[in-house]
Amino acid sequence: MGFIKHVKEEFEVIQERDPSIKTPLEVLLYPSFRVMLSYRKAHKQYLKGHYFRARRISQKAARKTGIEIHPGAVIGKGFFIDHGSGVIIGETTIIGDNVTLYQGVTLGGTGKETGKRHPTLCDNVMVSAGAKIIGSFTIGENSKIGAGSVVLEEVPPNCTVVGVPGRIVKRDNVKIPRSDMDQCHLPDPVMEDITILQHENSALCNKLIDLEKEVKELRCKSCEESK
């Protein structure tokens, strides 16, 4: 894809997914727009083996935008970073098409292992603010990662992950995150478990009260009979 096509694609993606844009020229001011243009240049240099030149381009972009994308990362089309400050994308990260990241997201590796050590995000994945995905595993298509979650293991397609460590919550009516940008109204499995326990506890308390009444009635009845 040529440079002009990259610019046009970035314009379309940002205008599509950010409702705050009032004029097309605002796109030029977006950190996501600026860092992706720098990433494309750096990635080309990386593939040619010009590693220092590639890192110099990426680090310059990181200082200006607050978004650090290693030039070795592989990123598909339709990629969007909303706000972007504090986003880190590691060297062996692979990102599919139409993926959305929010501010503070980390796609990181573990330890000093070599080879593939960063996550793979399949098509239409959305990663909410402050989420951390650490390690070499795959986040399946159409999945959502909730804000502040820490994901340490593979996620199947069409899932929502919340919590620390991340817990998977499958949903029947799956909306593709590219069009469904809601990062707030996600399932909370911990709260669901607490609610179930509260209901069960209430039921046990009611049974105990009924048993106490029965015992009192039996005692009163036995006392009357003994008289």
Side-chain angles (χ1 to χ4, degrees), residues 34-193:
R34 298 170 69 184
V35 79
M36 284 308 295
L37 294 183
S38 296
Y39 159 76
R40 301 295 181 191
K41 293 177 186 176
H43 187 61
K44 280 186 178 180
Q45 296 298 320
Y46 185 88
L47 294 177
K48 291 177 182 178
H50 304 313
Y51 302 121
F52 177 80
R53 197 178 301 169
R55 286 298 290 267
R56 185 174 64 182
I57 294 170
S58 67
Q59 290 302 308
K60 187 177 179 181
R63 288 194 296 272
K64 287 184 176 180
T65 65
I67 302 169
E68 186 173 341
I69 304 176
H70 194 285
V74 178
I75 301 176
K77 62 183 180 180
F79 180 62
F80 177 55
I81 305 174
D82 195 6
H83 298 291
S85 181
V87 169
I88 298 174
I89 300 174
E91 178 187 15
T92 60
T93 301
I94 299 174
I95 297 175
D97 297 338
N98 305 319
V99 170
T100 301
L101 306 184
Y102 283 83
Q103 66 271 19
V105 168
T106 298
L107 306 179
T110 55
K112 294 185 178 180
E113 58 191 19
T114 57
K116 182 77 170 73
R117 59 190 186 278
H118 297 92
T120 296
L121 276 58
C122 295
D123 298 347
N124 303 313
V125 168
M126 189 188 82
V127 186
S128 301
K132 314 298 177 187
I133 303 175
I134 309 296
S136 178
F137 51 82
T138 300
I139 307 296
E141 295 88 351
N142 307 323
S143 291
K144 277 185 175 183
I145 310 300
S149 299
V150 178
V151 185
L152 303 173
E153 58 186 22
E154 190 150 331
V155 176
N158 306 319
C159 288
T160 298
V161 176
V162 296
V164 181
R167 298 178 60 184
I168 297 171
V169 181
K170 293 186 179 181
R171 300 193 302 176
D172 295 328
N173 298 320
V174 177
K175 295 180 180 179
I176 297 177
R178 180 179 182 180
S179 57
D180 176 21
M181 302 293 287
D182 183 4
Q183 60 168 332
C184 298
H185 301 97
L186 301 177
D188 186 346
V190 175
M191 196 63 217
E192 289 172 5
D193 289 345

